[in-house]
Amino acid sequence: MAAELSTTFNPMAPDQVVDPYPLYARARREQPVFFAESLGAWVVTRHADIVAVARDTERFSSAGALESSAVFPDEVMDILRTGYLEFQSLVQSDPPDHTRVRNVFGKALSPQRVAALEPKVRAIADELIDGFVGDGEVELIERFAFPLPGAVIGELLGVPRSDLPRLKSGSNAKQILLAGAAPPALLAACAREFVDLQRYFGGHIEARVDEPREDLLTLLAPIDIGGTAPLTMQEAVSNAIDLLAAGHETTTDMIGHGMTLLIAHPEQLAALRADPSLVPDAVDEILRMEAPVRGMFRRVRVDTTFAGVSLPAEARLFLLYGSANRDEDVYPDPDVFDIRRRPATPHLAFSKGIHFCVGNALARLEGRIAFERLLKRLPGVRLDPRRPVERRAFILLRGYERLPLVWDAAAREA
């Protein structure tokens, strides 16, 4: 089984893009920590083991964990060298650097500040739904699930909503570079887009020094260029890019997963329509069933033994949150979608330990409002039988590229 998993596990494989969970369950039973050739990393699948790694920063480091292990062609490296080769963000840091960077975001994304955003998020959600509610059909990702969190994180960062498609392209390019398995021409194109994304945020951060605003890019402006943040410019740009992905695409994926899960479980959907107070618990159950971030990397600091496996220094680990969230030792009937579930052990969709998602309150707020408004305003919502859903094939992120829906437009509520 160990040898089979080593060659079989591949988040980019079509069958695992569609439904990876049977393979995850086999791994938990038979080889809970195994080496995956597709990632060049040891995959950790059980909830308790992942929590142990996340809390043990002495043995397991986050620094540089998201650097691609691929060997790029010279042409691609030449392009990447025109930007920042190292990606120094909150996600890829250990104390004391992690503490220094996280303090920059703590107040900006506090629960109180996020709660104050509710009227704005609700207004954006209804504005988007107004644009298609009378049509009786929509491609939900393009028209709602992508622009809703995009508009919110764009406003928090301080970038125009019209720039979001360009920023999405650059963020997707980073995901493709991380996988490193694309043809050279595509890798070169992605390298150019990723460097362009770095320059975009670098320019905006520099502009905030002369014209500060009430936004996150102003908070990220480094002290050495006249700002207030104890960051290097490289750290400021890297964290802006991470905020874009963490505060945007993950919420897009949560909304897509939530709608497909609810449509597939009409009794649960009906319960939410009847009792909207269940929505917050439903959001957490959606996150548990389909974690938007499939997993995250760590690096082994020193030769060590973990879960019975010998791990050499500098080995990479992949913490498979999507598996941990369906661990039968933690969640009864883990493959059953139950919006009334209130597990004693929280899910790991937001990670654990010092890297617990700093934007979790914002994600929950956006998810709650999205499902409240979509279910209220799209009666009889269901998958469009004429157009198939399409998933994205990324290593870290799990979600939909296209999600066509239809509903009973004539019976819609205002």
Side-chain angles (χ1 to χ4, degrees):
M1 176 63 183
E4 179 189 347
L5 275 172
S6 180
T7 57
T8 301
F9 180 85
N10 182 359
M12 308 286 283
D15 61 328
Q16 293 173 52
V17 169
V18 173
D19 183 12
Y21 298 107
L23 184 64
Y24 295 176
R26 288 180 60 199
R28 290 194 302 273
R29 290 192 306 268
E30 302 175 28
Q31 192 73 22
V33 179
F34 66 91
F35 185 78
E37 293 181 3
S38 65
L39 301 181
W42 294 86
V43 180
V44 184
T45 62
R46 289 181 176 171
H47 191 286
D49 290 339
I50 290 175
V51 170
V53 171
R55 287 175 169 167
D56 189 348
T57 59
E58 294 298 316
R59 286 193 294 169
F60 307 110
S61 171
S62 297
L66 283 181
E67 301 296 334
S68 176
S69 60
V71 178
F72 293 127
D74 290 344
E75 176 192 2
V76 176
M77 289 304 303
D78 288 344
I79 297 168
L80 291 173
R81 287 190 185 98
T82 65
Y84 297 121
L85 276 177
E86 294 183 0
F87 197 78
Q88 300 174 331
S89 69
L90 183 66
V91 173
Q92 289 207 95
S93 62
D94 299 318
D97 287 340
H98 178 272
T99 306
R100 171 173 54 84
V101 176
R102 191 173 180 105
N103 285 342
V104 175
F105 300 119
K107 293 180 180 179
L109 293 173
S110 68
Q112 296 81 5
R113 185 165 183 172
V114 169
L117 291 171
E118 177 160 353
K120 181 68 174 179
V121 177
R122 191 174 295 276
I124 294 170
D126 277 324
E127 174 192 339
L128 292 169
I129 296 173
D130 287 344
F132 58 75
V133 66
D135 299 337
E137 63 180 30
V138 73
E139 198 292 282
L140 191 74
I141 303 302
E142 177 185 12
R143 300 288 299 277
F144 184 85
F146 176 75
L148 173 64
V152 175
I153 196 62
E155 182 160 311
L156 285 171
L157 285 167
V159 299
R161 195 185 300 190
S162 59
D163 286 352
L164 290 176
R166 173 187 177 185
L167 301 184
K168 179 178 188 291
S169 182
S171 185
N172 286 349
K174 177 175 177 284
Q175 292 291 324
I176 294 170
L177 289 169
L178 179 62
L186 178 56
L187 289 173
C190 288
R192 283 188 287 270
E193 289 199 59
F194 183 48
V195 170
D196 179 69
L197 183 65
Q198 294 178 9
R199 290 172 177 162
Y200 175 92
F201 278 118
H204 274 274
I205 291 169
E206 289 173 350
R208 294 304 193 275
V209 175
D210 295 327
E211 297 182 9
R213 305 179 189 175
E214 292 293 324
D215 61 29
L216 294 182
L217 291 184
T218 299
L219 292 177
L220 288 173
I223 292 172
D224 62 7
I225 67 167
T228 61
L231 306 173
T232 66
M233 192 62 178
Q234 187 171 6
E235 287 176 326
V237 169
S238 296
N239 279 288
I241 292 172
D242 254 11
L243 280 167
L244 173 70
H248 186 186
E249 295 188 70
T250 54
T251 306
T252 295
D253 295 338
M254 174 181 63
I255 294 170
H257 287 141
M259 291 306 292
T260 54
L261 283 167
L262 289 167
I263 289 169
H265 298 83
E267 74 290 350
Q268 306 273 302
L269 189 154
L272 281 190
R273 288 191 193 279
D275 184 1
S277 71
L278 294 173
V279 173
D281 286 340
V283 169
D284 274 303
E285 178 68 348
I286 289 162
L287 289 165
R288 184 193 70 82
M289 286 289 290
E290 287 279 13
V293 179
R294 184 194 310 274
M296 191 57 67
F297 288 99
R298 296 287 190 275
R299 288 192 183 275
V300 181
R301 289 182 182 270
V302 295
D303 293 350
T304 191
T305 298
F306 180 79
V309 176
S310 296
L311 302 171
E314 296 306 314
R316 298 208 316 165
L317 300 184
F318 188 59
L319 310 185
L320 194 57
Y321 302 145
S323 172
N325 285 341
R326 298 201 187 195
D327 190 332
E328 45 284 307
D329 289 340
V330 177
Y331 308 105
D333 299 319
D335 295 322
V336 173
F337 177 60
D338 180 5
I339 62 172
R340 293 181 174 84
R341 184 192 298 266
R342 291 187 176 181
T345 303
H347 60 74
L348 296 182
F350 293 127
S351 190
K352 194 73 173 179
I354 66 169
H355 287 284
F356 185 75
C357 176
V358 70
N360 72 90
L362 178 61
R364 286 189 166 103
L365 172 69
E366 291 173 318
R368 174 171 62 79
I369 291 173
F371 297 125
E372 286 175 358
R373 302 312 296 156
L374 287 170
L375 296 185
K376 180 175 179 60
R377 301 192 63 189
L378 307 182
V381 66
R382 55 199 181 274
L383 297 180
D384 187 337
R386 303 162 300 172
R387 297 178 289 169
V389 301
E390 297 179 24
R391 280 197 171 273
R392 297 184 300 167
F394 288 156
I395 287 178
L396 294 184
L397 301 179
R398 175 168 169 77
Y400 289 97
E401 185 69 28
R402 303 192 195 297
L403 182 57
L405 302 180
V406 295
W407 59 91
D408 305 324
R412 70 183 187 274
E413 296 184 56

